[in-house]
């Protein structure tokens, strides 16, 4: 079965502190993983995809197949990073994208 | 381009009532889907479609029907609403190709539904 687990419902850090949003997955094949973000009063949107190995808004995420993880990291948090973050996985049939339960990131000034 | 639009934005129903949530996109995307968003549960896939005339079930399809008569529209029907269907509903669309659904889903603004 395909599953995405985000163990933290809420993560609160001070501005300038490092951020790590955890994501673990369960999948039997070669996964494709993504991070989506929903800012206040905005639509859910793609933040980054593991396959492109890019840094978006200072965020990076590395796929660790050994630990089945895809944690989202940023070295120095900014107040505008406050949002809801969802980890997502594209399934084996490639016809579905499964989302985790989400983590609300709150950056304190 | 309007992108993905959803109507209504808010709706209150009584148990047993029926209604249709509308979703439309103007990006000529083959793939469309419906998710519900619940606190602590994240986004759960209800139904999806890979093209006009083709629909399939997601993770939580019970109590919902869909149809896809055109590329642009993908309505979600609640035949007999239940309090457990109180949620925020999101429609999304994306490209669909040889490698399956595109990783970049375009989401609508959501419909907040309350069933009393």
């Amino acid at each position: 079965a395909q599953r995405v687990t985000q163990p933290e419902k809420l993560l609160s850090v001070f501005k300038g502190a490092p951020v790590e949003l955890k994501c673990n997955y369960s999948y039997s094949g070669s996964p494709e993983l993504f991070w989506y973000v929903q800012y206040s009063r905005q639509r859910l949107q793609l933040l980054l995809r593991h396959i492109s190995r890019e840094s978006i808004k200072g965020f990076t995420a590395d796929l660790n197949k050994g630990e089945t993880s895809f944690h989202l990291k940023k070295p120095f948090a900014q107040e505008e990073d406050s949002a809801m973050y969802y980890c997502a996985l594209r399934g084996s049939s490639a016809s579905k994208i499964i989302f985790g339960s989400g983590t609300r990131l709150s950056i304190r000034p | 381009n309007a992108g993905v639009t959803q109507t209504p934005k808010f709706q209150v129903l009584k148990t047993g009532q029926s209604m249709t949530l509308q979703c439309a996109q103007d990006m000529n995307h083959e793939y469309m889907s419906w998710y519900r968003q619940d606190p602590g549960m994240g986004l759960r896939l209800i139904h999806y479609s890979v093209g006009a005339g083709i629909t399939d079930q997601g993770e939580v399809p019970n109590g919902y029907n869909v149809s896809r008569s055109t590329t642009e529209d993908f309505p979600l029907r609640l035949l007999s609403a239940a309090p457990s269907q109180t949620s925020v509903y999101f429609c999304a669309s994306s490209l669909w190709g040889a490698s399956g659904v595109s990783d970049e889903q375009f989401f609508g603004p959501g419909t907040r539904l309350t069933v009393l």
Side-chain angles (χ1 to χ4, degrees), chain B residues 70-104:
Chain B
T70 66
T71 299
E72 295 78 18
D73 301 296
F74 191 44
L76 179 72
R77 297 185 187 85
L78 285 71
L79 298 178
S80 179
S84 61
Q85 294 178 305
T86 294
S87 187
V88 180
Y89 292 85
F90 288 98
C91 179
S93 75
S94 72
L95 295 171
W96 169 263
S99 58
V101 58
S102 170
D103 47 16
E104 184 160 18

Side-chain angles (χ1 to χ4, degrees), chain A:
Chain A
Q2 301 154 16
R3 174 172 281 187
V4 177
T5 302
Q6 295 180 250
E8 304 141 328
K9 288 186 178 180
L10 173 66
L11 184 64
S12 182
V13 302
F14 284 105
K15 177 182 173 182
V19 171
E20 181 177 69
L21 300 169
K22 290 183 169 49
C23 172
N24 290 90
Y25 65 90
S26 173
Y27 184 70
S28 57
S30 295
E32 295 195 44
L33 287 145
F34 322 98
W35 278 97
Y36 275 76
V37 61
Q38 187 175 26
Y39 300 104
S40 179
R41 296 188 180 86
Q42 293 189 28
R43 303 186 184 198
L44 193 65
Q45 58 189 287
L46 178 67
L47 179 63
L48 56 80
R49 40 173 81 86
H50 91 268
I51 199 167
S52 58
R53 302 186 63 83
E54 56 198 345
S55 173
I56 302 292
K57 299 184 178 182
F59 284 99
T60 58
D62 290 320
L63 178 61
N64 186 324
K65 292 187 179 182
E67 295 182 358
T68 60
S69 68
F70 187 57
H71 304 328
L72 183 68
K73 299 177 184 179
K74 185 170 182 176
F76 307 104
Q78 299 173 313
E79 289 186 63
E80 54 265 33
D81 296 329
S82 293
M84 192 75 175
Y85 291 81
Y86 289 96
C87 184
L89 176 150
R90 181 157 62 191
S92 56
S93 67
S95 62
K96 304 177 189 179
I97 292 186
I98 304 300
F99 287 81
S101 55
T103 298
R104 182 166 297 282
L105 177 63
S106 175
I107 307 301
R108 290 176 283 177

Side-chain angles (χ1 to χ4, degrees), chain B residues 9-15 17 19 78 81-89 111-116:
Chain B
K9 290 185 179 180
F10 302 95
Q11 183 71 49
V12 178
L13 292 178
K14 294 181 180 179
T15 296
Q17 287 185 315
M19 81 159 295
L78 285 71
S84 61
Q85 294 178 305
T86 294
S87 187
V88 180
Y89 292 85
T111 294
R112 186 174 294 274
L113 175 68
T114 301
V115 182
L116 303 175

